[in-house]
Amino acid sequence: MSAAHAASAAVQSAAHTTAAGARAVAHAVSVAAHAVAHAVSVAARTVAHAVSVAARTVAHAVSVAAHAAAHATVVAARTTAHATAVGARAFARSVTTAARTTAHVTAIGARTTAHATSVAARTTAHATAVGARAGAHATAVAARTTAHATAVGARTTAHATAVGARTTAHVTAVGARAVAHTVSVVTRTVAHATAVAARTTAHAIAVVVRAVQRRLPANTGNPVPAIAAAFVLIAGAGLLNLWGTVSTISRTPVPDSLPPVLSLLERYGVTATHYARTLAAVELAYALVILGTALLLAVAVREKRRWARIVSAVLAGTALFYALNAGTGTQSLAAGLGVAGAAITFTKGAAPWFRRRVLSVQPFPPLRHQTKPQHQVEAQAEPLQADPVLARQAGAGGDLRNL
């Protein structure tokens, strides 16, 4: 169809070109004839005007002859143009008829070829579809067979896995129950032993406190034993806390990995061992700080610093509150010793130890240039007046420096 259409278009284009050429030729001839006639008419008019002065009659005859000749020329030109146009139209019609015939034949051939090609393509597509369906059916049958075999194998494997998991879970549950029972029994035993030890320790501390309170003198007695007991209890609290921290650090296992919050540190080479050692160093440093604070407060109490007993009472109470809520037994015992030592400093027997000593004021002797030599008084160092409450502290047991 495309070739026929192209041939028809070519033929029509040629015919149109031929007709256009014929029309152009006829128009050119007509224009030339008009131009010649116009030129002749102008020449005749010019000659007639020139000769009209001499002889109007001759001019009239010449004009008539010129008009006749021009008319004949125009008629001849028009006839020639008409004949040329008729010939061109006939030629174009014949060419158009031939082109249409050729295009028709070409279109019929193209249709026949396209029909044959379509029939062959349909036959090939049908054969291909039949083959594809047969292949797809065979593939589907093979896939179903494989899927069935896989499903059977998976079900068998899943059943075996489920049976093994149930057996393992049962064994694990039995073991966990046994371990939990053992842990519960051990925990109860340790808790009972801890409770008994705590009760015994509390009873011993109460007996010691009562004995110390019985031996503490009144306001006029000797406060040295009470201060010595407070010194020993406060310093012992720091030492006991240090010992408990060292014992806890030595029994703490090294974790296998860092906590989830600190897992980012593994990129920088920090391992669980480094983390455990850092925690142990921090706890040990904290225990050493507590020991230094306890020794400082004990020495300050021995040196009659009144602020020391207030600070020791506040710190010991805070440490006891923390130990009872989040600390260990050793920390609670150490805090209890610190509270006992701080409490002794507030008893009646220890109160005279922290009383202020009043210095006696003596007038200054007169200067040498203001008095005569016979009236000069020798400057004497005035000793501190002895506190009547501490008058009995002289002797081997009366000075805390012997502690």
Side-chain angles (χ1 to χ4, degrees):
M1 291 293 293
S2 300
H5 182 70
S8 178
V11 171
Q12 290 180 1
S13 176
H16 180 71
T17 304
T18 304
R23 290 177 183 175
V25 171
H27 180 70
V29 171
S30 178
V31 170
H34 280 289
V36 172
H38 181 70
V40 172
S41 177
V42 170
R45 288 179 182 178
T46 305
V47 172
H49 180 71
V51 178
S52 61
V53 177
R56 292 181 181 180
T57 305
V58 176
H60 181 71
V62 173
S63 177
V64 171
H67 279 287
H71 180 71
T73 302
V74 170
V75 171
R78 287 181 179 176
T79 303
T80 302
H82 180 70
T84 303
V86 170
R89 289 178 183 176
F91 179 76
R93 185 177 297 172
S94 62
V95 171
T96 302
T97 303
R100 288 180 180 176
T101 304
T102 304
H104 182 70
V105 173
T106 304
I108 292 174
R111 290 178 183 176
T112 305
T113 304
H115 181 70
T117 303
S118 177
V119 171
R122 290 178 182 177
T123 305
T124 304
H126 180 71
T128 303
V130 171
R133 290 178 183 176
H137 180 70
T139 304
V141 171
R144 289 178 183 177
T145 305
T146 304
H148 180 70
T150 303
V152 171
R155 290 177 183 175
T156 306
T157 304
H159 180 69
T161 303
V163 172
R166 290 177 184 175
T167 306
T168 305
H170 179 70
V171 174
T172 304
V174 172
R177 290 177 183 176
V179 172
H181 180 69
T182 305
V183 171
S184 176
V185 172
V186 172
T187 303
R188 290 178 183 177
T189 305
V190 172
H192 180 70
T194 304
V196 172
R199 291 176 184 175
T200 306
T201 305
H203 182 69
I205 292 174
V207 171
V208 172
V209 170
R210 289 175 184 175
V212 171
Q213 288 179 352
R214 290 174 183 175
R215 294 183 180 181
L216 288 177
N219 293 334
T220 58
N222 186 10
V224 173
I227 301 303
F231 177 85
V232 172
L233 290 175
I234 294 175
L239 293 173
L240 183 60
N241 181 73
L242 177 62
W243 176 80
T245 302
V246 173
S247 177
T248 303
I249 291 173
S250 63
R251 290 185 284 103
T252 301
V254 178
D256 298 331
S257 61
L258 292 175
V261 180
L262 303 177
S263 59
L264 184 63
L265 297 178
E266 293 181 354
R267 300 180 181 179
Y268 303 98
V270 179
T271 61
T273 305
H274 297 162
Y275 175 70
R277 290 179 180 177
T278 303
L279 287 182
V282 171
E283 292 180 0
L284 185 60
Y286 183 66
L288 291 175
V289 170
I290 293 177
L291 175 61
T293 304
L295 293 178
L296 176 63
L297 291 176
V299 173
V301 168
R302 191 182 66 177
E303 295 295 332
K304 301 180 182 181
R305 305 295 182 182
R306 288 186 299 173
W307 58 266
R309 58 176 182 173
I310 299 175
V311 174
S312 61
V314 173
L315 294 180
T318 305
L320 181 62
F321 177 78
Y322 169 77
L324 292 177
N325 288 276
T328 60
T330 306
Q331 292 177 348
S332 300
L333 181 58
L337 293 179
V339 170
I344 291 176
T345 59
F346 288 92
T347 58
K348 293 181 179 180
W353 184 260
F354 297 98
R355 288 180 180 175
R356 293 184 178 180
R357 300 177 61 182
V358 181
L359 300 177
S360 60
V361 181
Q362 296 292 337
F364 291 97
L367 298 178
R368 181 174 301 177
H369 67 278
Q370 295 179 356
T371 58
K372 295 181 179 181
Q374 62 268 17
H375 297 288
Q376 290 181 357
V377 181
E378 219 177 14
Q380 297 179 358
E382 180 68 21
L384 296 176
Q385 292 183 356
D387 193 349
V389 179
L390 302 178
R392 300 180 182 180
Q393 294 183 4
D399 193 356
L400 284 181
R401 298 177 183 175
N402 298 323
L403 296 178

